C-alpha cells in the first residue's frame, strides 16, 4: 500500500517537470527531426495546409549552401584557434597560481571575474578597445576607422594601426579580435577547473622530481600535464562544445550585422545560420542545420573522448 | 673510494640546491610578472568601460585616448537611462528573473525529491532519459519552441520568457545528488511522526541543501540577466524587451545616425554592475555551481 502511495506521489511531484519537458524538450526533438526530413518545409505554408514530401533535400540544400559553408568555416576556425590557446594559457596561469603563496587568493578572484559578465556587454567594450567607429583627429570631418586603445599600444611598440572591425577590415583581423575575446571569456572556467585539479594533486610526485633534479619544463610536461589530463580533457571537450555554439560573442563585437559594415554576415556562425533560417520561416532548413550541428558536436566529442582515452592517465 | 663518492655527492647536492635557489628566485619573479600581466589583461576591459562611459563624445573619439576623462560626464548615465529606456528593461529583466527563479526552484526541488527519496516504477530509466537530453544543443529545441509559443499566442508576453526554460535537468541532477547525501533515516523518522512531505522538505531537506539551492538561484538569475537569443526572437517589443537586447539595438543612435558611444558604455556599465556585486558577495556559490557544470548561465 505504502509503495503504491509513493508511486502516486512521485508522479505528482514530477508532473510539472514532466509536462514542461514533454512540451518544450521531447516534442521539439521529434518535431525537429520530422521537419528536417520534409523537403522544403516551411511553417507558414504548413499552417496553410500545404504538404511536404519526405526526403533529405533540406540537408542537401544546406550543405550546398555557400552561406552555410561560410558559417561552418567561421565556427570551426574560431574553435580550432581558441580551444588550444585558452587551454594552454589557462594551464600556465593555473600552474603559476598554484606555485605562489602571497596574492594567490586576490589573483584567483581577478581571474574568475570575466565569468560573471554579460557576453554582449563586454563584447561591446572589446569592440570599443579595438576600433572606435568614426573617430577623428581634431576636426569632425577627418574620420578615421582605425583609432582605438589597442592600436595605440601597437603603435607605442612600433607597429602600425590595424583596421580591426570597421568597414574595410580584413577577415584575418576580424578573426583575431574574435579569438582574443573568446579566449578572454573562456579563461575563468578553465582556470577554475585546472586549479582545482592541481590542488588535489599529490605533492609527493613533485618532491620526487625535485630529489632527482628534474628540470621545471620536464616536471611540467612529464608530471603536471599527465596528472591533470582528466581535467584538461574535460575543459577541451566542454570548450569544443561551447565553441561550436558560438554566437553571442560575435553579436557583442559586431552587432546584429555579424560582420564589418561593408560585409554583413561575414563572421556568422552555425547557430547564427539556424536563427537566420528560422527568422525567414525556413523551419526545414533550420532543423537540418541544427541536426548537422548536433552531429558535428557529437562527432567532435567522440573524437575527443577517443583521444583522451588513449592519452589520459587516471 | 667510498669517501670520494660521498664528497662528490655532497658537492653535487650543494650545486643542485644552489642552482635551484637562484633558479627559484628568477622563476618566482617571472611567475609573478606573468600573473600580474594576465591580471591586467583581464581587468583592462572593465577599466576601459568605466573610463569610456564618463567621457564626452568628443573626448571619446580622440585618436589619442585619455586614460581618465578630462571632464567626468555623469550625465552619460542618465542619458543611457533616458534613450535606451533602461528603467523598463531593468524592470522586465527583474520580473522575468525573479518569477522564473522561484517557479524553477519549486519544480527542481519537487523533482529532485522524487528522484532522491521516492520509489516508483521506471525511475532509473526516466532519470537517464532526462540526463540524455542535456547533450542536445538548445538551438535544436528553439526551432520548434518558436512555433509552439506562437501557436499558444504567447508572443511578446512575460510567459514566453519564463515558461519554456523552467525545467533544468542539470539543476535537478545537482540537487538530487545533494538530497541523496541526507540520510534516509531522517525521512523515515519524519514519516513515523506523521510529518507531511512538504513540511519535511521545508524543515529538513531545503535547509540542509541550502548552499546548492543558493547556487541554483544565482545561476538562474544570471541566466535571465544574460539571455539574449530567445528574448530577441519572441519578445522584442518595448514592453517586454530584456536588458541585453536593449544594449545592441538602435537606441543609442542620434538624429544624424551616429552612435552615442559614451552613453552606450554607460549602459554597459550599468548592466555589468549587478553582476559585479553578485560576484563580490556570492562568488563561492557561483564557483560551487559552475565547477560542476561548465554551463554559462
Amino acid at each position: 500500500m505504502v509503495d503504491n502511495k509513493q508511486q502516486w506521489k512521485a508522479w505528482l511531484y514530477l508532473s510539472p517537470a514532466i509536462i514542461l519537458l514533454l512540451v518544450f524538450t521531447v516534442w521539439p526533438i521529434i518535431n525537429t527531426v520530422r521537419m528536417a526530413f520534409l523537403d522544403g518545409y516551411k511553417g507558414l505554408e504548413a499552417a496553410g495546409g500545404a504538404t511536404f514530401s519526405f526526403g533529405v533535400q533540406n540537408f542537401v540544400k544546406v550543405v550546398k549552401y555557400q552561406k552555410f559553408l561560410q558559417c561552418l568555416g567561421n565556427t570551426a576556425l574560431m574553435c580550432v584557434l581558441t580551444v588550444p590557446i585558452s587551454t594552454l594559457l589557462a594551464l600556465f596561469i593555473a600552474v603559476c597560481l598554484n606555485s605562489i603563496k602571497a596574492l594567490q587568493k586576490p589573483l584567483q578572484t581577478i581571474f574568475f571575474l570575466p565569468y560573471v559578465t554579460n557576453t554582449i556587454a563586454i563584447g561591446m567594450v572589446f569592440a570599443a578597445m579595438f576600433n572606435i567607429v568614426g573617430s577623428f583627429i581634431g576636426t569632425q570631418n577627418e574620420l578615421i576607422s582605425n583609432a582605438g586603445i589597442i592600436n595605440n599600444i601597437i603603435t607605442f611598440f612600433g607597429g602600425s594601426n590595424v583596421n580591426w572591425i570597421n568597414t574595410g577590415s580584413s577577415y584575418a583581423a576580424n578573426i583575431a579580435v574574435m579569438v582574443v575575446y573568446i579566449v578572454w571569456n573562456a579563461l575563468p572556467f578553465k582556470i577554475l577547473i585546472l586549479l582545482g585539479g592541481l590542488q588535489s594533486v599529490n605533492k609527493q610526485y613533485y618532491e620526487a622530481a625535485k630529489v632527482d633534479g628534474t628540470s621545471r619544463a620536464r616536471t611540467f610536461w612529464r608530471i603536471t600535464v599527465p596528472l591533470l589530463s582528466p581535467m584538461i580533457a574535460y575543459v577541451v571537450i566542454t570548450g569544443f562544445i561551447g565553441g561550436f555554439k558560438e554566437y553571442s560573442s560575435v553579436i557583442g563585437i559586431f552587432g546584429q550585422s555579424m560582420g564589418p559594415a561593408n560585409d554583413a554576415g561575414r563572421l556568422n556562425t552555425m547557430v547564427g545560420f539556424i536563427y537566420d533560417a528560422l527568422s525567414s520561416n525556413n523551419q526545414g532548413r533550420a532543423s537540418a542545420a541544427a541536426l548537422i550541428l548536433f552531429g558535428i558536436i557529437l562527432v567532435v566529442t567522440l573524437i575527443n573522448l577517443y583521444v583522451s582515452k588513449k592519452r589520459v592517465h587516471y | 673510494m667510498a669517501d670520494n663518492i660521498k664528497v662528490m655527492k655532497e658537492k653535487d647536492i650543494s650545486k643542485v640546491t644552489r642552482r635551484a635557489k637562484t633558479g627559484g628566485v628568477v622563476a618566482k619573479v617571472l611567475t609573478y610578472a606573468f600573473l600580474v600581466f594576465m591580471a591586467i589583461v583581464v581587468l583592462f576591459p572593465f577599466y576601459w568601460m568605466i573610463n569610456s562611459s564618463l567621457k564626452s563624445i568628443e573626448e571619446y573619439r580622440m585618436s589619442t585616448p585619455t586614460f581618465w576623462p578630462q571632464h567626468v560626464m555623469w550625465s552619460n548615465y542618465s542619458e543611457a537611462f533616458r534613450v535606451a529606456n533602461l528603467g523598463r528593461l531593468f524592470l522586465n529583466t527583474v520580473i522575468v528573473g525573479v518569477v522564473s527563479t522561484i517557479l524553477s526552484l519549486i519544480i527542481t526541488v519537487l523533482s529532485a525529491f522524487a528522484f532522491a527519496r521516492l520509489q516508483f516504477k521506471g525511475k532509473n530509466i526516466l532519470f537517464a532519459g532526462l540526463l540524455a537530453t542535456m547533450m542536445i544543443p538548445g538551438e535544436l529545441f528553439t526551432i520548434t519552441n518558436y512555433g509552439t509559443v506562437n501557436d499558444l499566442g504567447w508572443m511578446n508576453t512575460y510567459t514566453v520568457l519564463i515558461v519554456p526554460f523552467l525545467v533544468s535537468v542539470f539543476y535537478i541532477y545537482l540537487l538530487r545528488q545533494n538530497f541523496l547525501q541526507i540520510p534516509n533515516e531522517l525521512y523515515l523518522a519524519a514519516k513515523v511522526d506523521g510529518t507531511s512531505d512538504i513540511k519535511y522538505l521545508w524543515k529538513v531537506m531545503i535547509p540542509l541543501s541550502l548552499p546548492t539551492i543558493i547556487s541554483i538561484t544565482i545561476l538562474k538569475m544570471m541566466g535571465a540577466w544574460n539571455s539574449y537569443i530567445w528574448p530577441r526572437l519572441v519578445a522584442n517589443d518595448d514592453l517586454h524587451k530584456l536588458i541585453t537586447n536593449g544594449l545592441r539595438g538602435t537606441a543609442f543612435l542620434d538624429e544624424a545616425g551616429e552612435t552615442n558611444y559614451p552613453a552606450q558604455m554607460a549602459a554597459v556599465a550599468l548592466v555589468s554592475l549587478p553582476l559585479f556585486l553578485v560576484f563580490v558577495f556570492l562568488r563561492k556559490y557561483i564557483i560551487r555551481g559552475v565547477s560542476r557544470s561548465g554551463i554559462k548561465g
Side-chain angles (χ1 to χ4, degrees), chain B residues 179-221:
Chain B
F179 280 174
L180 281 178
Q181 288 167 359
I182 299 166
N184 210 9
E185 284 74 20
L186 284 176
Y187 181 56
L188 299 176
K191 285 282 107 181
V192 169
D193 290 348
T195 316
S196 73
D197 278 356
I198 300 300
K199 196 172 169 194
Y200 174 73
L201 259 176
W202 187 249
K203 294 272 178 191
V204 180
M205 298 283 254
I206 290 176
L208 283 174
S209 354
L210 204 56
T212 306
I213 290 176
I214 295 175
S215 294
I216 294 174
T217 307
I218 298 167
L219 290 179
K220 186 81 191 164
M221 292 291 262

Side-chain angles (χ1 to χ4, degrees), chain A residues 129-141:
Chain A
M129 280 161 53
F130 276 95
N131 274 160
I132 307 168
V133 188
S135 64
F136 65 88
I137 324 167
T139 67
Q140 194 102 34
N141 301 323

Side-chain angles (χ1 to χ4, degrees), chain A residues 3 6-7 9-11 13-14 16-18 20-21 23-29 31-33 35 89 92-93 96-97 99-104 107 109-129 131-137 140 143-144 147-149 152-153 184-185 187 189 192-193 210 213 216 234 238 245 247-248 250-256 271 274-276 278-279 283 286-287 290-291 293-294 297-298, chain B residues 16 19-20 23-24 27-28 31-32 34-36 38-39 41-46 48-49 52 57-58 60-65 67 107 110-111 113-115 117-122 126 130 133 135-146 148-149 152 154 163-164 166-167 169 172 187 191 197-198 219 222 225-226 228-229 232-233 243-245 247-249 258 261 264-265 268 271-272 275-276 278-279 283 286-287 290-297:
Chain A
D3 198 36
Q6 275 212 0
Q7 296 253 5
K9 261 192 334 202
W11 291 105
Y13 293 159
L14 282 170
I18 288 176
L20 285 169
L21 282 170
V23 178
F24 294 108
T25 304
V26 178
W27 164 238
I29 296 172
N31 192 39
T32 304
V33 174
M35 292 190 298
L89 205 53
F92 283 127
I93 292 174
C96 288
L97 271 178
S99 74
I100 62 169
K101 281 206 183 76
L103 288 179
Q104 194 197 38
L107 281 169
T109 308
I110 290 172
F111 285 122
F112 190 63
L113 184 57
Y115 191 86
V116 195
T117 52
N118 185 310
T119 311
I120 295 192
I122 303 299
M124 289 159 73
V125 179
F126 269 76
M129 280 161 53
N131 274 160
I132 307 168
V133 188
S135 64
F136 65 88
I137 324 167
Q140 194 102 34
L143 286 158
I144 55 164
I149 181 68
N152 293 121
I153 294 169
W184 184 89
N185 236 327
L187 279 180
F189 173 68
L192 182 73
I193 298 294
K210 220 179 202 171
R216 268 165 214 283
Y234 177 58
T238 51
K245 300 205 289 189
Y247 179 68
S248 306
V250 183
I251 297 270
I253 302 273
F254 288 97
Q256 275 151 26
V271 171
I274 295 170
Y275 287 117
D276 288 348
L278 186 56
S279 312
Q283 278 86 353
S287 303
L291 286 179
L293 175 64
F294 177 49
I297 291 176
L298 202 63
Chain B
V16 165
R19 202 174 61 197
K28 263 255 144 76
T31 306
Y32 274 101
F34 171 66
L35 286 176
V36 169
M38 287 310 297
V41 170
V42 164
L43 288 178
F44 190 81
F46 298 105
W48 204 246
M49 165 180 84
S52 305
I57 193 152
E58 285 75 24
Y60 176 86
R61 284 171 161 182
M62 289 203 298
S63 54
T64 311
F67 283 86
I107 293 173
L110 288 177
S111 312
F113 178 73
F115 278 123
R117 277 292 165 266
L118 303 176
Q119 296 305 324
F120 57 97
K121 278 204 190 87
L126 184 64
L130 287 190
T133 62
M135 295 194 308
I136 299 167
E139 291 69 33
L140 210 143
F141 306 134
T142 310
I143 304 165
T144 297
N145 287 345
Y146 181 75
T148 307
V149 297
L152 290 168
W154 286 357
V163 174
L166 279 181
V167 185
V169 174
I172 293 176
Y187 181 56
K191 285 282 107 181
D197 278 356
I198 300 300
L219 290 179
M222 279 171 54
W225 199 257
N226 292 333
Y228 173 74
I229 299 172
R232 196 187 80 190
L233 221 48
I243 194 82
T244 309
N245 256 309
L247 289 178
R248 257 306 184 194
E258 295 259 341
Y261 285 102
Q264 200 180 38
M265 283 297 126
V268 166
V271 170
S272 304
L275 291 170
F276 187 75
V278 165
F279 174 76
R283 190 174 56 248
I286 306 173
I287 290 176
V290 300
S291 56
R292 292 179 203 171
S293 74
I295 302 163
K296 185 155 181 166

Side-chain angles (χ1 to χ4, degrees), chain A residues 28-140:
Chain A
I29 296 172
I30 300 165
N31 192 39
T32 304
V33 174
R34 183 183 74 95
M35 292 190 298
F37 287 100
L38 290 174
D39 288 346
Y41 184 91
K42 287 190 176 193
L44 281 179
E45 292 175 16
T51 51
F52 303 90
S53 59
F54 177 84
V56 291
Q57 277 308 308
N58 288 325
F59 291 93
V60 174
K61 270 195 188 139
V62 164
V63 174
K64 281 187 179 162
Y65 204 27
Q66 195 55 43
K67 243 191 205 161
F68 176 79
L69 297 177
Q70 192 186 6
C71 293
L72 180 60
N74 287 337
T75 314
L77 183 61
M78 286 189 236
C79 246
V80 167
L81 289 173
T82 56
V83 173
I85 294 175
S86 60
T87 307
L88 269 180
L89 205 53
L91 185 58
F92 283 127
I93 292 174
V95 168
C96 288
L97 271 178
N98 195 41
S99 74
I100 62 169
K101 281 206 183 76
L103 288 179
Q104 194 197 38
K105 283 278 163 209
L107 281 169
Q108 215 177 320
T109 308
I110 290 172
F111 285 122
F112 190 63
L113 184 57
Y115 191 86
V116 195
T117 52
N118 185 310
T119 311
I120 295 192
I122 303 299
M124 289 159 73
V125 179
F126 269 76
M129 280 161 53
F130 276 95
N131 274 160
I132 307 168
V133 188
S135 64
F136 65 88
I137 324 167
T139 67
Q140 194 102 34

Side-chain angles (χ1 to χ4, degrees), chain A residues 267-288:
Chain A
L267 289 174
N268 207 350
T269 62
M270 297 278 284
V271 171
F273 180 88
I274 295 170
Y275 287 117
D276 288 348
L278 186 56
S279 312
S280 56
N281 241 305
N282 268 312
Q283 278 86 353
R285 190 197 291 168
S287 303

